[in-house]
Amino acid sequence: MKQRLLQQVGRSARLRVLNELKRTQGLCVADLATRIGMSYMGAKGVCLDLEKRGLLDTWRQPQKMGRPHLLYRLTQRAHDLFPTESNALTIETLDAARKLFGPTAPEKLLLVVYQKRAEQYLAKLKGETPAERAKWLARLRDHDGYMAECEVAETGAVRIVEHHSPVLDILREFPLVAKLEVDLFQRLVGRPVQREETSASGLYCATFRLL
């Protein structure tokens, strides 16, 4: 499935559009063109092509004055273009552990995995303050395919936004993963963390707020 989709996308302009839209809740053509350095007509043509392939859809964002903005956003089908760390075998293995060793077996296995992941991040993490560590953690998570970015508000509030989850199928099957991610972030940044998950057009976005 993923290979066929990649063959369809192919050209770098399409990939740039998909990657930019993946990091947003939707963009109009003018904003998209500016962000990726394309002409308006060039960006519009790519969006129309991707929409025909079922990778983009549109919605109208109401404005206080004037006509609504037509925004492009990714469809659920586009999720298969982005990196994953798991597959059906992973889910089957966790299910088999539950049947063989009891209902808590998958949770124990996942706990070990996330403890190891925390140690790997700790070995690379830099920064003296929680905000500095959050910035480094976002870089590490982005490198691992979570499409993460750290945002620091003028008030000093810090949050890490992740626009993709390579383990989304496991997260859906085993909701404990959401708590393990919060525990991971709290251990690494040294502050309490609140996790919020939203979706647009069926796509995943998680925000981790430092409290």
Side-chain angles (χ1 to χ4, degrees):
M1 177 63 174
K2 184 180 296 186
Q3 289 301 314
R4 290 199 299 272
L5 283 173
L6 286 173
Q7 288 172 4
Q8 290 180 8
V9 174
R11 295 161 50 189
S12 60
R14 294 173 182 165
L15 291 173
R16 283 157 52 203
V17 167
L18 289 169
N19 278 313
E20 198 63 40
L21 290 177
K22 179 69 170 171
R23 292 182 180 273
T24 71
Q25 298 299 310
L27 290 171
C28 65
V29 174
D31 289 343
L32 175 63
T34 298
R35 292 172 68 142
I36 63 176
M38 289 184 67
S39 67
Y40 178 92
M41 294 307 298
K44 180 69 173 180
V46 173
C47 287
L48 289 173
D49 177 69
L50 292 173
E51 186 178 14
K52 290 179 181 178
R53 298 175 188 274
L55 299 173
L56 297 185
D57 65 11
T58 59
W59 65 292
R60 296 187 180 278
Q61 184 182 59
Q63 303 296 305
K64 292 182 179 180
M65 297 182 61
R67 300 172 60 184
H69 284 172
L70 180 67
L71 305 184
Y72 281 94
R73 61 187 179 186
L74 270 62
T75 64
Q76 180 61 48
R77 184 170 184 246
H79 176 81
D80 291 332
L81 287 168
F82 295 87
T84 57
E85 293 181 342
S86 57
N87 52 38
L89 181 60
T90 307
I91 303 293
E92 291 173 6
T93 300
L94 291 170
D95 282 334
R98 178 161 47 196
K99 293 176 182 177
L100 289 172
F101 304 110
T104 63
E107 297 181 359
K108 293 177 180 178
L109 290 173
L110 289 168
L111 178 60
V112 171
V113 169
Y114 273 84
Q115 287 175 340
K116 182 177 180 181
R117 179 67 54 87
E119 293 170 358
Q120 292 171 339
Y121 282 147
L122 278 172
K124 301 176 182 178
L125 201 66
K126 298 180 181 180
E128 297 296 326
T129 67
E132 291 172 348
R133 290 193 292 272
K135 291 179 181 179
W136 270 99
L137 178 57
R139 293 179 189 177
L140 296 173
R141 296 281 285 183
D142 190 64
H143 181 268
D144 286 345
Y146 287 83
M147 301 192 77
E149 51 193 0
C150 182
E151 300 176 354
V152 181
E154 292 182 0
T155 60
V158 181
R159 68 177 191 171
I160 295 175
V161 181
E162 297 186 343
H163 301 280
H164 180 67
S165 174
V167 294
L168 186 61
D169 53 350
I170 297 179
L171 177 63
R172 295 288 179 255
E173 189 72 21
F174 300 94
L176 172 71
V177 170
K179 181 182 182 303
L180 292 176
E181 288 186 337
V182 170
D183 293 343
L184 173 75
F185 277 58
Q186 290 181 157
R187 178 180 176 186
L188 294 171
V189 302
R191 286 271 296 277
V193 172
Q194 181 182 40
R195 181 183 184 276
E196 300 172 359
E197 184 178 328
T198 59
S199 62
S201 188
L203 292 178
Y204 168 94
C205 179
T207 300
F208 299 85
R209 301 180 187 275
L210 275 63
L211 302 178

